[in-house]
Amino acid sequence: MKEIVFATHNLHKTDEVRAILGPDYHILNLPELGCPDIPETADTLKGNALQKAQYVVEHYHRDCFADDTGLEVEALNGQPGVYSARYAGEGCSYQDNVRKLLAEMRGMENRRACFKTVVALILDGKEYFFEGRVDGIILPEQRGTDGFGYDPVFLPDGHDQTFAEMDATTKNSISHRGRAMRQLQEFLMRREQ
């Protein structure tokens, strides 16, 4: 079993990634590594993901991958984007972010949005990047109790359930993070052949 660090404190993300990558990998997250929160100061998803992975490599000398995810809403000129996790301010909750988003979109007809995830992998000193995207709309009210973040208001194209209404297997099969992580998984498998 290969061991690799996933540079996150988010236990929801850790669970999703462990399910996607499967039993061939032992995924350590930052709390398990004893690593503090890593600041995200870049102005792009790619920059934030790379910043977190570099921190782990520099301070813990371990192969590592990190992700950053953003929700981009057309009617809000791509916001919240790179600021999705702290859209309602530092230390805000998922619910705070969702409430702010719904308030800002009240009465808007264009509800098109996309989720993007960028994964940065540093393996044997080399950097690799993987990106996943899913398009959909922002609903005017929350639906579902599973998932996290903006999941209760994001309805992916071609589906009648929000991410928060889907079981984890279904969500992971179509989500932005699932798509990026499968690229990572395929890359790691090819390297081992």
Side-chain angles (χ1 to χ4, degrees):
M1 183 185 297
K2 303 277 188 285
E3 185 173 276
I4 192 165
V5 175
F6 179 26
T8 187
H9 275 88
N10 188 317
L11 300 182
H12 295 290
K13 281 187 183 182
T14 302
D15 289 343
E16 278 189 5
V17 167
R18 285 177 176 156
I20 292 164
L21 293 183
D24 293 338
Y25 297 93
H26 178 65
I27 307 297
L28 283 175
N29 62 24
L30 295 182
E32 293 165 334
L33 193 62
C35 180
D37 245 343
I38 302 168
E40 297 179 20
T41 57
D43 58 3
T44 63
L45 300 175
K46 181 178 180 180
N48 279 336
L50 182 59
Q51 188 175 31
K52 291 183 282 190
Q54 286 173 331
Y55 184 95
V56 170
V57 170
E58 289 168 12
H59 291 84
Y60 296 89
H61 312 290
R62 308 282 284 273
D63 289 333
C64 177
F65 66 93
D67 83 318
D68 198 22
T69 294
L71 174 69
E72 298 179 359
V73 179
E74 278 186 14
L76 300 177
N77 299 314
Q79 291 299 314
V82 73
Y83 304 105
S84 293
R86 52 195 182 278
Y87 190 42
E90 291 298 328
C92 64
S93 70
Y94 294 140
Q95 272 302 309
D96 295 334
N97 287 331
V98 170
R99 279 192 291 270
K100 178 176 180 179
L101 177 67
L102 292 180
E104 291 197 354
M105 293 192 70
R106 192 171 290 121
M108 290 185 174
E109 287 187 26
N110 178 6
R111 305 194 71 86
R112 299 294 306 160
C114 72
F115 264 124
K116 288 182 183 174
T117 292
V118 177
V119 174
L121 168 70
I122 302 179
L123 193 62
D124 301 326
K126 293 184 180 170
E127 298 172 2
Y128 306 91
F129 298 94
F130 311 93
E131 185 173 326
R133 173 187 173 129
V134 63
D135 293 286
I137 61 170
I138 302 299
L139 296 177
E141 72 286 321
Q142 298 187 55
R143 288 185 1 204
T145 57
D146 290 330
F148 62 99
Y150 299 94
D151 287 356
V153 293
F154 186 80
L155 183 69
D157 287 348
H159 296 270
D160 59 4
Q161 291 182 310
T162 67
F163 277 160
E165 293 174 301
M166 295 177 180
D167 62 69
T169 302
T170 303
K171 178 188 172 186
N172 289 340
S173 72
I174 64 166
S175 77
H176 46 294
R177 186 171 297 106
R179 290 173 178 176
M181 289 299 169
R182 277 189 295 283
Q183 292 173 36
L184 169 65
Q185 180 186 39
E186 289 163 9
F187 173 83
L188 292 172
M189 288 171 64
R190 281 196 308 273
R191 279 182 60 97
E192 290 169 17
Q193 292 174 350

